[in-house]
Structure formats: structure tokens, C-alpha cells
Amino acid sequence: MPWLTPGLEQDLNSLVPGGVHRNISLARVSRWRVGGTAPLVVAPGSVSELQRVMTYVSRHGLPYVVLGSSTNLLFADEGLEVLAIHIGARLGGFRIEGARVWSEAGIWVPAFARRLARAGLSGAEHTCGIPGTLGGLVCMNGGSQRKGIGDHVIDVTSVTAGGERRVRTREECGFRYRQSVFQGLGEIIVGARFRFSAADSPVLVRREMLAILGQRRRKFPRKMPNCGSVFVSNPAMYAQYGPPGAVIEQCGLKGMRVGGAMISPLHANFIVNHEAARATDILSLIGLARRIVRERTGYTMAAEVCYVSPAGEIVPAHIRAEALRLPSVDDSIPGVTPEPASGMGQ
Ligand SMILES: Cc1cc2nc3c(=O)[nH]c(=O)nc-3n(C[C@H](O)[C@H](O)[C@H](O)COP(=O)(O)OP(=O)(O)OC[C@H]3O[C@@H](n4cnc5c(N)ncnc54)[C@H](O)[C@@H]3O)c2cc1C
């Protein structure tokens, strides 16, 4: 790693005092508990610190990757060979003015949703159970109940690769289902402004949130490390066969294992790390589920979770899975041969 020069850590420390960390285990940080080591992580404590870091990064041509809470990321077993810029709790400012909300990107999403509920604002209830930072949520246009946070955005402020501040209106953010212009852009979201609506009563907002949390607790695996839903729902497949979890289940894949990774027996759109899984185990399962669903239904599922390569490229995990030579169902997973569900065409 030629960029990792002896003076780099000291320089970054002078730009972000107390915010530079060496040799961080990604397996300890990521929700899947998978991944090698990040040699250097910098966590700015203010937007101006981040701007100074990015100016330094661009002047020295340092390769970097942007991380929130890593709840949607599958890190390579080899770890990272680039600088990691982490936007987290140190950038957690928040303010409510009537129905308008301003928040920094590092705030924890369930805390964001709870603060809105306390203020009697409605619109973010669907985000109350989503782990991760607001920056990650905006980047992924995340949400639940078929909603996305982008619907409530007024504008998003980011810091460019060169260290400049930039503000984009909602239209300029290009929000689509689980997508935004920020994916693959290299800009770092530092905050956003939102407009929510005044609820008839804060009690109703809280009740709605409790109902959503209860549903999630019943449906989603919680005991084994996972990254939430692996595949995005495709409206055409949904109309014909149902959501990804139901389709994967109907293909007989619940409980299928590769190495230490397993398609959750509770909800088939989750892959759990049941025993020291490697990134390649998870990628193999993603590739297998995708191939079998394609063979049975004709629909090709896209992954919502993203793979982070050692070079810091972030791509939907199915793209990396396709690039690997995957084992076939018959030769790698003894005893597991999925049966086609009734009504599913070949
Ligand atoms: C148990 C569980 C349940 C989940 N349920 C849901 C759900 O219901 N709905 C849903 O949408 N998601 C869900 N997720 C996925 C995940 O929580 C969301 O995608 C979340 O918003 C990601 O936030 P993060 O901070 O962890 O981002 P990360 O995982 O760290 O990063 C995700 C992407 O955002 C980018 N990014 C992160 N922060 C910034 C920033 N400040 N500026 C620019 N880019 C940034 C990263 O580069 C990466 O491309 C779930 C995950 C888990 C583990």
C-alpha cells in the first residue's frame, strides 16, 4: 500500500485530533461480522475537519472509501487497502424547526426516528428499526414498508472529493427505489434537510413505530449476524411470485449453507453468519439463490447489500458474486437439492 506512508497517520491526526484509528477489524465493525482489516480509519468530528481531510486526500491522491455503520456492507476477506473515512456519531447534530428537520449524517437512524416521534412529526416511522447512520440511509434511499427516506428530503449537503461543500435538491439526488446519485460518487454526505408532516398526536406516531418494530422482531432473524434483506424486491417478480424472501423459500433454499453462511430458516431474504462465515461463503449463497430463482422464475434478483473490495470499490454484492466461479448446488452442498415450488415455471 504505497499511499500508507510513515507520516500519514500523524498528518491526519493533526487534521482530526482523536479521530484516527489503525488496524481496525472489519469483522468486529460490520453487521455480518465478516471482513479483514482496515489499515487506517479516520472519523471526522465536524464538517470543516472532513473538508480538511478531503483536501489533503485529493492533494496526495489517496485512495479512500466512505463508511457509515457498515450495516449494508460485505467486506472482502482480504480487508481494505484504502483509507476508510467513517461518518458516525461524531457528526450527529440535529435540529427541528416546525415541520422541517435538519440533521447531520452521523446520527443513528432509530434515534432520528424517535426524536421525530417525540416532536409529533410523522413520515419517518418506517425507518425506526433500520440500523445505520442517516448518511447511509440517504445514500441507499433506505426505508421499509416500500417507502424511502428520499420522499422527505428537501436537500442534501455533501463534501466533494476535493473538499468542497455541495448542496443538492431532492430532484438532483436522483432518488429511486434503494438508489441515489450518491452511490459510487465518492462524495460524502454530511447532512440533510427534511420536511415531515405534523401528526394528529405523537401517541399515534409512537404506536405506529411500535407496530413496525414488533413486526420486524417477529419476521427477521435477530440472533445471528446478518445485513438485513439481501435482495431488492422487483415489482414484476413481486406481482407474479411475491417478494424475494417468499420466492427464495418457494425454491426450497431456506436453511441452505455454504461454509459458515446460511440462508436464514426464518426469512429467506436474509443470509446469516452462523459459524465464522467468510465473504466468499456469503457471495456463493447470493450467486446460488440468484441463479436458482432465475432458472425457476425467469427473474434475476439484484442485491441490495453491497460488496466492498480491497480497493474500496462498492458494488451491489451480486456483481461480485457473478465474477466468482460459484460451486453448483449438486457438488458443493450435499443433501440440499431445492425442489421447484408448484406454480413456478422453469
Ligand atoms: C438487521 C438489519 C435490518 C435492515 N433493515 C433495513 C430496512 O428495513 N430497510 C433498508 O433500507 N435497509 C435495511 N438495512 C440495511 C442498512 O441498515 C441500511 O442500508 C442503512 O441505511 C445503511 O446505513 P449505514 O450507515 O450502515 O451505511 P453503510 O452500510 O456503512 O454504507 C452503505 C452505503 O452508503 C454509503 N455511505 C454511508 N455513509 C455515507 C455518507 N455519509 N456519505 C456518502 N455515502 C455514505 C457507503 O459508502 C455505502 O455505499 C438493514 C440492515 C440490517 C443489519
Side-chain angles (χ1 to χ4, degrees), residues 22 149 257 273:
R22 279 176 63 178
I149 189 67
R257 297 173 185 213
N273 176 355

Side-chain angles (χ1 to χ4, degrees), residues 231 248 253 263 285-294 301:
F231 294 103
I248 297 168
L253 300 178
I263 295 186
L285 273 182
I286 289 174
L288 280 169
R290 207 167 117 89
R291 179 161 62 76
I292 291 166
V293 167
R294 182 169 51 222
M301 298 184 298

Side-chain angles (χ1 to χ4, degrees), residues 31 65-73 87 105 108-109 126 129-144 178 182-184 187-190 216 220-221 226-229 270 304 306 314:
R31 281 291 171 130
V65 65
V66 187
L67 306 178
S69 293
S70 304
T71 58
N72 204 41
L73 298 178
I87 303 299
W108 184 243
V109 169
H126 66 102
I130 304 179
T133 63
L134 190 67
L137 192 76
V138 169
C139 179
M140 299 303 299
N141 190 19
S144 69
R178 303 294 173 256
F182 297 102
Q183 292 167 16
E187 279 184 25
I188 304 177
I189 299 165
V190 291
R216 292 173 71 95
F220 298 165
N226 69 79
C227 247
S229 298
F270 284 63
E304 181 173 332
C306 295
I314 300 185

Side-chain angles (χ1 to χ4, degrees), residues 18-336:
V20 182
H21 310 278
R22 279 176 63 178
N23 295 331
I24 296 297
S25 157
L26 294 163
R28 290 188 64 185
V29 168
S30 80
R31 281 291 171 130
W32 250 323
R33 300 280 175 256
V34 164
T37 301
L40 208 53
V41 178
V42 57
S46 68
V47 176
S48 48
E49 275 187 8
L50 174 64
Q51 286 183 284
R52 285 198 288 274
V53 168
M54 295 315 291
T55 307
Y56 181 96
V57 160
S58 82
R59 190 178 310 134
H60 292 84
L62 302 183
Y64 70 93
V65 65
V66 187
L67 306 178
S69 293
S70 304
T71 58
N72 204 41
L73 298 178
L74 176 60
F75 291 106
D77 297 313
E78 298 82 1
L80 283 174
E81 292 173 1
V82 297
L83 174 69
I85 298 174
H86 170 54
I87 303 299
R90 298 186 82 208
L91 272 178
F94 178 88
R95 198 169 57 240
I96 295 182
E97 284 164 7
R100 286 178 170 226
V101 174
W102 167 86
S103 178
E104 285 190 319
I107 195 169
W108 184 243
V109 169
F112 173 80
R114 278 198 303 274
R115 287 191 189 194
L116 297 185
R118 271 203 297 277
L121 291 178
S122 173
E125 294 88 326
H126 66 102
T127 67
C128 67
I130 304 179
T133 63
L134 190 67
L137 192 76
V138 169
C139 179
M140 299 303 299
N141 190 19
S144 69
Q145 325 266 308
R146 303 201 63 76
K147 295 174 185 153
I149 189 67
D151 295 348
H152 292 277
V153 162
I154 299 171
D155 51 34
V156 175
T157 304
S158 57
V159 169
T160 66
E164 282 142 26
R165 215 184 253 252
R166 174 158 187 191
V167 179
R168 280 193 176 75
T169 62
R170 183 179 57 191
E171 290 68 33
E172 290 168 335
C173 291
F175 291 118
R176 283 183 289 138
Y177 191 66
R178 303 294 173 256
Q179 285 180 21
S180 78
V181 292
F182 297 102
Q183 292 167 16
L185 194 63
E187 279 184 25
I188 304 177
I189 299 165
V190 291
R193 292 193 304 155
F194 303 88
R195 186 179 290 108
F196 293 99
S197 46
D200 291 339
S201 141
V203 177
L204 293 180
V205 181
R206 276 180 56 82
R207 199 174 290 159
E208 168 76 5
M209 281 173 38
L210 289 173
I212 290 172
L213 289 174
Q215 259 178 34
R216 292 173 71 95
R217 261 185 223 117
R218 281 191 298 279
K219 285 194 336 201
F220 298 165
R222 296 194 305 141
K223 292 197 177 124
M224 284 186 265
N226 69 79
C227 247
S229 298
V230 171
F231 294 103
V232 198
S233 188
N234 166 339
M237 186 175 91
Y238 187 97
Q240 205 175 342
Y241 295 110
V247 177
I248 297 168
E249 179 176 352
Q250 287 163 47
C251 287
L253 300 178
K254 260 189 170 178
M256 176 180 270
R257 297 173 185 213
V258 173
M262 172 169 66
I263 295 186
S264 167
L266 191 65
H267 190 310
N269 197 20
F270 284 63
I271 293 179
V272 294
N273 176 355
H274 74 97
E275 199 182 4
R278 295 174 61 77
T280 46
D281 299 337
I282 292 173
L283 290 168
S284 294
L285 273 182
I286 289 174
L288 280 169
R290 207 167 117 89
R291 179 161 62 76
I292 291 166
V293 167
R294 182 169 51 222
E295 283 166 11
R296 302 285 157 79
T297 69
Y299 290 105
T300 306
M301 298 184 298
E304 181 173 332
V305 295
C306 295
Y307 170 78
V308 189
S309 76
E313 287 152 349
I314 300 185
V315 293
H318 67 264
I319 292 179
R320 179 61 186 157
E322 290 281 305
L324 291 177
R325 193 193 152 271
L326 296 169
S328 81
V329 178
D330 296 334
D331 63 23
S332 75
I333 305 149
V336 182

